[in-house]
Amino acid sequence: MWSLIFIGLVNGTLLGLVFALMASGFNLSLGVARVVNFQHGAIVMWAMYFAYLSWDIWGISPLISVVPITVIWYVLGYVLQKYLVSFSLRAPEDNQILFAVGLLTELQFFAEYIFSDDALAVRDEQISGALFIGNQVIQWSILISALLSLAVLIGLHVLLNRTALGRNLRACAQNSIGANLSGLDVDH
């Protein structure tokens, strides 16, 4: 029984790191831009579908495709923010939430239309297998995902607390009007 509790705690902690990375995006969009960004999860979902397609069609490992896919979906997310979401911010908050939920629903159902609602999985030899600690098993894919998430979270912490960009983001989060008066471009 103790072995089940141990492996549950280990796997829960490792998956919690991945969820913490996803939640940091939600936190930044709500904390800095004051945008209820429901479509953030749908953007992550589309990026995962593209990682799956790059593996399925071209055989590119997700460990390699994560960098270009992240850059591509960052740019697409920025375009979505600049040309769609920013216009909804001029409306009352109720309308902003309705717009965000509507965009989320559209992105989810469009993905379901293209990819169906069947579960898809990447079976890559580089990340398959497991780490055995005594009679406990930890999958490499979960361990690698957790370590990459931890590295990105540490990088994000350093960015927000040790750089001028982080100082500017914190200024916009605390008082966007004051940040704008001091010369910061709060629209981007």
Side-chain angles (χ1 to χ4, degrees):
M1 175 165 145
W2 289 108
S3 63
L4 289 176
I5 292 173
F6 171 75
I7 202 66
L9 288 172
V10 169
N11 280 324
T13 302
L14 294 176
L15 287 175
L17 284 168
V18 176
F19 291 141
L21 178 62
M22 288 177 54
S24 67
F26 288 116
N27 189 16
L28 281 173
S29 68
L30 183 61
V32 174
R34 306 278 192 254
V35 175
V36 179
N37 193 354
F38 291 113
Q39 61 273 12
H40 176 80
I43 297 294
V44 172
M45 173 194 63
W46 273 93
M48 285 191 246
Y49 274 126
F50 271 73
Y52 173 80
L53 288 176
S54 69
W55 170 78
D56 188 45
I57 295 171
W58 299 298
I60 300 172
S61 170
L63 295 174
I64 296 170
S65 67
V66 69
V67 173
I69 287 173
T70 300
V71 170
I72 290 168
W73 282 97
Y74 172 81
V75 170
L76 290 173
Y78 179 79
V79 168
L80 184 73
Q81 168 69 28
K82 182 171 174 138
Y83 294 108
L84 283 178
V85 176
S86 63
F87 290 113
S88 74
L89 298 179
R90 298 178 188 142
E93 286 186 13
D94 295 346
N95 292 349
Q96 293 175 23
I97 292 173
L98 286 173
F99 175 78
V101 170
L103 188 58
L104 166 70
T105 304
E106 185 273 328
L107 289 169
Q108 286 178 333
F109 281 115
F110 190 56
E112 186 177 336
Y113 175 76
I114 291 176
F115 299 106
S116 81
D117 56 357
D118 297 332
L120 302 173
V122 174
R123 289 175 178 60
D124 191 2
E125 291 78 25
Q126 293 177 339
I127 58 175
S128 65
L131 173 66
F132 294 95
I133 303 173
N135 61 352
Q136 305 303 317
V137 178
I138 301 172
Q139 294 179 3
W140 280 117
S141 60
I142 294 173
L143 185 62
I144 291 169
S145 298
L147 292 175
L148 286 173
S149 297
L150 182 62
V152 171
L153 285 169
I154 290 170
L156 185 60
H157 176 76
V158 169
L159 174 84
L160 291 173
N161 291 305
R162 305 274 188 232
T163 65
L165 175 62
R167 185 172 47 255
N168 294 344
L169 284 172
R170 290 193 320 272
C172 289
Q174 290 174 4
N175 186 347
S176 62
I177 295 171
N180 193 17
L181 290 173
S182 67
L184 293 178
D185 185 10
V186 296
D187 292 330
H188 296 289

